[in-house]
Amino acid sequence: MRRVRPEEIPALLERGVKVVDVRPPDRGTTPLPFPAERVSLDKIQKGEHGLPKVPLLLVCERGLLSQVAALYLEAEGYEAMSLEGGLEALTGGR
């Protein structure tokens, strides 16, 4: 699983990478500076996510849930990446 640094995001978005927010619905107050589909980690773990087979960038608050989600999706044959440090890395921990 590839970990993506925040400064790589613009190039990935230009390339057409789909962003998936895996934060639980009761969390995730940090707004995203780019469009993202919200799919919970439990749906990914159960294989009930319905995500297209395109390169995916998974994001969460600190980068841990997105790493787990990326590993599950890679096991299904997806190209999955995780945002290193999560959304906190984008906002400086605000």
Side-chain angles (χ1 to χ4, degrees):
M1 176 225 10
R2 179 176 164 214
R3 286 195 256 170
V4 172
R5 294 184 316 277
E7 59 270 17
E8 296 177 77
I9 292 174
L12 290 172
L13 294 175
E14 270 187 39
R15 199 180 104 202
V17 168
K18 181 176 185 62
V19 180
V20 180
D21 183 352
V22 299
R23 295 178 293 176
D26 61 331
R27 294 193 206 145
T29 57
T30 304
L32 299 177
F34 37 72
E37 182 174 341
R38 194 110 188 215
V39 179
S40 64
L41 176 60
D42 67 314
K43 286 192 182 238
I44 290 172
Q45 289 172 317
K46 294 175 187 172
E48 299 172 353
H49 49 77
L51 292 167
K53 285 271 186 160
V54 298
L56 302 172
L57 172 59
L58 302 152
V59 300
C60 66
E61 211 63 44
R62 293 190 180 112
L64 299 175
L65 293 178
S66 62
Q67 287 181 42
V68 172
L71 292 171
Y72 272 92
L73 290 167
E74 279 188 338
E76 289 184 41
Y78 284 83
E79 179 186 344
M81 300 164 263
S82 171
L83 177 58
E84 188 175 295
L87 296 169
E88 286 185 358
L90 291 177
T91 63
R94 282 184 266 148

